[in-house]
Amino acid sequence: MAKPSNFELKLLRYLWQRERLSAREIHQASQVETGWSYSTTRKALDRMVAKGLLRIEQIHGLKTFAAAHSKLQTMAGLIKDFARNILDTDEPLPAAAFAHSKFIEPEEIEALGVLLEELDQDDGSNVK
Amino acid sequence: MAKPSNFELKLLRYLWQRERLSAREIHQASQVETGWSYSTTRKALDRMVAKGLLRIEQIHGLKTFAAAHSKLQTMAGLIKDFARNILDTDEPLPAAAFAHSKFIEPEEIEALGVLLEELDQDDGSNVK
DNA sequence: ATGAACATGCGGCATATGTCGCATGTATAC
DNA sequence: GTATACATGCGACATATGCCGCATGTTCAT
């Protein structure tokens, strides 16, 4: 439901690849790209949990973070949002247009298309 | 250069259709859609001028607002931004994908494609 | 048992943006 | 010339987000 910001998306990308990681691991993986201090990464993760973007799983007392929504689900939401707010169209965008995205695999394009059209159905309400 | 926010975009759409309007006119046109009070519309316009999204033209002492950048220029920028930050791709998105946008006309698709590829050239720097 | 090495929680600051209201100024109508 | 109707400028507040640091706690090796 909540949309990740650009920077939050950067962190999400690591979680999508790795399933679930500790704060320290996420920080180390993303540090070069973000340039953030550990505190900043930490805070970002906390806020993402608060927004429902991440789930916490305790492992022997160590907090571990995992994406609450799948990559495709999230991407479909962002694409839909872009179509609605920026392009101002209700037609679902053709999934094929996103084939070049560095983290959408060819095999996933079809599933993305399905999600895009689904999102088009349940409108107004936010059920399902 | 500055990216308009979703709400700022809504106001821009009126300016693109109408060339140039007074604050009151913009407010009246957008009020139903935004639900804003006049003060809010005013403030939004002021901030857009500060950001360089709008130009002011005085007409007999009455301020008139006009978009600083063309519709296609702005859309190309937003699309490029979306591709880079959300999709994480450097390939320009196919302009054809946006044919359904309510305010991009069929005749404009080609020009949009050109802009999209141009934006791909001058990277890193922000000249031109 | 003392300290290095982390983890967690939380406070804090700046800027952007959504959202107003108020004070002052000007013009126009009676 | 006084009231009415706008225009303009500004201050304000809340929330989101980018960006830290510090205090406290736990763990583990020496």
Side-chain angles (χ1 to χ4, degrees):
Chain A
M1 201 148 279
K3 309 284 166 212
S5 73
N6 288 353
F7 280 85
E8 289 171 338
L9 234 200
K10 287 187 195 299
L11 299 190
L12 273 178
R13 301 214 240 259
Y14 292 96
L15 273 329
W16 284 328
Q17 287 185 330
R18 294 263 148 116
E19 192 66 27
R20 134 194 120 159
L21 294 168
S22 72
R24 187 66 58 180
E25 288 170 321
I26 295 172
H27 176 62
Q28 263 147 17
S30 61
Q31 211 286 322
V32 174
E33 191 185 356
T34 62
W36 287 350
S37 79
Y38 177 67
S39 295
T40 303
T41 305
R42 238 353 265 280
K43 191 65 159 184
L45 291 173
D46 285 345
R47 298 213 256 231
M48 287 169 81
V49 170
K51 280 205 288 180
L53 291 174
L54 301 182
R55 272 177 303 105
I56 286 185
E57 288 170 39
Q58 292 269 355
I59 303 228
H60 304 298
L62 209 212
K63 274 191 181 173
T64 267
F65 299 86
H69 304 287
S70 76
K71 178 178 70 173
L72 286 188
Q73 201 78 49
T74 303
M75 291 309 294
L78 289 169
I79 290 169
K80 181 70 190 165
D81 189 69
F82 179 74
R84 202 202 291 292
N85 293 313
I86 308 298
L87 299 177
D88 192 24
T89 172
D90 283 324
E91 301 288 316
L93 292 182
F98 311 114
H100 287 297
S101 174
K102 280 188 190 138
F103 59 115
I104 293 182
E105 306 303 324
E107 320 84 76
E108 297 177 316
I109 294 295
E110 199 182 345
L112 180 62
V114 173
L115 284 175
L116 250 18
E117 295 196 19
E118 262 179 35
L119 278 183
D120 232 48
Q121 249 61 86
D122 39 55
D123 251 334
S125 71
N126 38 16
V127 193
K128 189 199 177 183
Chain B
M1 198 148 278
K3 309 285 167 213
S5 71
N6 288 353
F7 280 85
E8 289 172 337
L9 236 201
K10 287 188 196 298
L11 299 191
L12 273 178
R13 303 215 239 262
Y14 291 97
L15 273 328
W16 285 329
Q17 288 185 329
R18 294 263 148 115
E19 192 64 27
R20 135 194 122 160
L21 294 168
S22 72
R24 186 65 59 179
E25 287 170 323
I26 295 172
H27 176 63
Q28 263 147 19
S30 62
Q31 210 286 322
V32 173
E33 191 186 356
T34 62
W36 288 350
S37 78
Y38 176 68
S39 295
T40 302
T41 306
R42 239 350 267 281
K43 191 64 158 184
L45 291 173
D46 285 346
R47 297 214 257 230
M48 288 170 80
V49 170
K51 280 204 289 180
L53 292 174
L54 300 183
R55 273 177 301 106
I56 286 184
E57 290 171 39
Q58 292 269 357
I59 303 228
H60 304 299
L62 209 212
K63 274 192 181 172
T64 267
F65 299 85
H69 304 287
S70 77
K71 178 179 70 175
L72 285 188
Q73 200 79 49
T74 303
M75 290 309 293
L78 288 169
I79 290 170
K80 180 69 189 167
D81 189 70
F82 178 75
R84 200 203 291 294
N85 294 312
I86 308 298
L87 299 177
D88 192 22
T89 172
D90 282 325
E91 301 288 318
L93 294 183
F98 311 114
H100 287 298
S101 175
K102 280 188 190 139
F103 59 114
I104 294 182
E105 306 303 324
E107 321 84 76
E108 296 177 317
I109 294 296
E110 198 182 344
L112 180 62
V114 174
L115 285 174
L116 251 20
E117 294 194 19
E118 262 179 35
L119 278 182
D120 231 48
Q121 248 62 85
D122 40 54
D123 251 337
S125 71
N126 38 16
V127 193
K128 187 194 180 189

